[in-house]
Amino acid sequence: MENILLIGANGGIGSSIKKTLSSSYNLDSFGSEQLDLSNDNSVKNFILRKKQKYNHVIFSAGINNLIPYEKISKKSLIHTLEVNIINFLLLLPPLIKYNLDRSNSSIILISSLYSFFGRKNRLPYVISKHALNGACKTLAIELGKKNIRVNSISPGFIKTKLTEKNLSNKEVINIRKKIPLGDLGKPEDIANLT
C-alpha cells in the first residue's frame, strides 16, 4: 500500500481528501494544529521529525482573508504567503531528500481558480495562488529528472466553510447561474482527482 503525506487536512477540501484516500492508502495527514505553516519553529520541527517514506505529497493548506488592497499590511501579506506557499516550498527539499520514494512519486498542489483570475479584496490570496501555479510549473521541470511528477488542481467554486465565509448568499446564487450544472462543486469532487 502506498504512503501519502497530506498537508492541510482540516479545510473543506483537505478533510475530504483525507476521508477519500484513508481507506485505500497509508495516509499521514496534518492540519494547522500539528503543522502551523505561519510558524517557523513548527515548520523546522516538522522537518526534523519526519522519518516516514512517502510515495506522494498533497499540499492543500491555504488561507483567504478578505481585505481591500489599500489596507494590506506587510504582516498580513507575508502571513498569507507563508501559509499558502513559502513554507511548503521550504519543506520540500528535505521531504524530497529524505522522505520521498522516487520509484513512483508525485506532488499535488491544491491551487484555485484565483491562480488564473483576480478578484476584489483577495490580493494576498490571488498572489499566493498565482505563485503556487508558477512553482508547480518550475518544480515539474526540475523534479521530472528525479522521477517526481508535479501537478496542480485549480478548483472553481467549491462548497466549503471558506467559500461560505467569503461569499454572500446573493453572490452564491449569481455564481450558480453561471455554472452549467447549476451548483457549486463539492469537496469530494476535488478529492477524487488526487
Side-chain angles (χ1 to χ4, degrees), residues 1-6 25-30 46-57 94-101:
M1 191 178 280
E2 292 187 327
N3 299 318
I4 296 177
L5 171 63
L6 171 61
Y25 299 91
N26 292 321
L27 188 66
D28 204 2
S29 59
F30 295 86
F46 182 84
I47 291 170
L48 291 172
R49 73 172 183 252
K50 292 317 296 166
K51 306 296 180 194
Q52 175 77 41
K53 280 284 185 186
Y54 299 107
N55 304 96
H56 311 285
V57 176
L95 278 175
I96 290 168
K97 185 173 182 180
Y98 300 112
N99 304 104
L100 207 58
D101 177 354

Side-chain angles (χ1 to χ4, degrees), residues 7 30-50 59 61 79 81-95 99:
I7 297 172
F30 295 86
S32 56
E33 58 281 341
Q34 297 99 9
L35 173 57
D36 180 356
L37 289 167
S38 67
N39 182 296
D40 289 346
N41 287 330
S42 179
V43 173
K44 286 175 188 172
N45 290 334
F46 182 84
I47 291 170
L48 291 172
R49 73 172 183 252
K50 292 317 296 166
F59 179 65
H79 176 70
L81 290 170
E82 282 180 336
V83 173
N84 291 7
I85 182 168
I86 291 172
N87 279 326
F88 175 70
L89 293 179
L90 295 178
L91 286 172
L92 261 186
L95 278 175
N99 304 104

